[in-house]
Amino acid sequence: MNPIYASRRRRDIVVRALCFAAAAFGVTWLALILFTLFYNGLAGMSWQIFTQNTPPPGASEGGLSNAIVGSLIMTVIGVGVGAPVGMFAGTYLAEYGRHDRLSPVIRFINDILLSAPSIIIGLFIYGAVVVPMGGFSALAGSLALAVIVIPVVVRTTEDMLMLVPNPLREAASALGLPRSLVIRRIAYRAARAGLITGVLLATARVAGETAPLLFTALSNQFFSVDLTHTIANLPVTINNFVQSPYAYWKQLAWSGALLITLAVLALNIGARLIGSERTAK
């Protein structure tokens, strides 16, 4: 055998073994985390979690219904505010400002926001909203989640629109369609699956955020839908319960963590399915 070929083959085997070992190491820890989460979370799963409010200290009965509703409200508002803003900004970068001098600056700022720790965003909303309002509120928590959603949607929207072939736009323009209708009826429809995927991924990104809510929304033990005051939410409730000395609270924390994990898993699977359908077409 050629010595050079044998040497390259040995190096290839070593690199493959290292890659396999690294992948196995990461997957093993992920499997252990998921096993622990499912093992402890399923033990406390019952209808009480969805029908009863969080229990007072020392109680042995209660659920997470108020925290689940509060999380859904803030997530829906955050995504409802952040997703349109992100889509409009991404549309500008891909369609109107592709060659503008301002576009690189916007992309740079968006990249900073995309990688910024969520606790920094929580501190910003605390100073910009919580302090002027004179207290924590679900509205401030929703705005913090919206700020986290925006850069994710901006990036995915721009990337998906950039993948739309220019001949489609040129053909529509040749028929006399104005630029706005070309974007709405041609570009958006061609990139629809990718845009929906981006919104789903952004929703999964903010579904389990705890740090920004600690500085903006906090939590409480009661059922409330008043956005001007604190309302219960799963991330902060889990954070409070897991640090408590009560066994039942800790069990509820495991079950709540499992619910968030399942929700994020469902959103990611949905995004994958939509992306695979787009690729198949």
Side-chain angles (χ1 to χ4, degrees):
M1 181 181 294
N2 191 321
I4 297 178
Y5 176 78
S7 175
R8 291 177 177 176
R9 184 173 179 82
R10 285 194 297 270
R11 286 199 297 267
D12 179 68
I13 293 174
V14 171
V15 171
R16 286 189 182 187
L18 291 175
C19 292
F20 177 80
F25 180 80
V27 171
T28 299
W29 283 107
L30 176 61
L32 288 174
I33 293 172
L34 290 177
F35 174 78
T36 304
L37 179 61
F38 274 85
Y39 179 80
N40 291 281
L42 289 175
M45 197 65 71
S46 66
W47 285 112
Q48 285 187 154
I49 290 178
F50 304 97
T51 58
Q52 297 185 17
N53 291 340
T54 50
S60 58
E61 289 186 358
L64 298 170
S65 62
N66 54 335
I68 293 173
V69 172
S71 288
L72 288 175
I73 290 174
M74 287 193 289
T75 301
V76 169
I77 294 176
V79 175
V81 173
V85 174
M87 289 186 66
F88 288 142
T91 301
Y92 169 78
L93 292 175
E95 299 291 341
Y96 293 102
R98 188 176 298 188
H99 304 294
D100 288 356
R101 294 181 179 180
L102 182 62
S103 296
V105 177
I106 296 175
R107 292 190 185 96
F108 177 72
I109 296 174
N110 188 73
D111 290 341
I112 294 176
L113 282 175
L114 193 61
S115 58
S118 59
I119 192 171
I120 302 300
I121 296 174
L123 285 171
F124 168 75
I125 298 297
Y126 175 81
V129 179
V130 175
V131 173
M133 289 181 62
F136 301 97
S137 65
L139 180 61
S142 301
L143 290 177
L145 298 183
V147 174
I148 297 174
V149 166
I150 289 173
V152 179
V153 178
V154 169
R155 171 63 65 84
T156 55
T157 299
E158 182 187 7
D159 290 345
M160 291 302 103
L161 291 178
M162 292 290 285
L163 293 177
V164 177
N166 280 327
L168 289 178
R169 299 181 178 87
E170 294 169 356
S173 298
L175 295 175
L177 285 179
R179 186 69 176 272
S180 61
L181 289 182
V182 172
I183 295 172
R184 286 165 48 196
R185 297 185 179 181
I186 305 299
Y188 278 174
R189 289 186 179 182
R192 179 171 52 188
L195 298 179
I196 295 174
T197 300
V199 174
L200 291 178
L201 292 176
T203 305
R205 168 79 166 79
V206 300
E209 285 290 346
T210 305
L213 299 183
L214 287 172
F215 290 93
T216 55
L218 281 183
S219 187
N220 62 41
Q221 296 289 108
F222 312 102
F223 185 92
S224 174
V225 293
D226 187 358
L227 299 181
T228 61
H229 295 84
T230 61
I231 64 175
N233 57 86
L234 272 178
V236 178
T237 299
I238 293 170
N239 178 72
N240 295 336
F241 279 13
V242 79
Q243 300 179 64
S244 71
Y246 308 108
Y248 188 68
W249 277 21
K250 291 184 178 181
Q251 181 58 67
L252 285 177
W254 280 110
S255 299
L258 178 60
L259 289 177
I260 291 179
T261 302
L262 292 176
V264 173
L265 181 62
L267 289 171
N268 278 278
I269 291 176
R272 292 275 184 173
L273 291 176
I274 294 174
S276 62
E277 290 178 2
R278 178 181 178 277
T279 303
K281 292 179 181 180

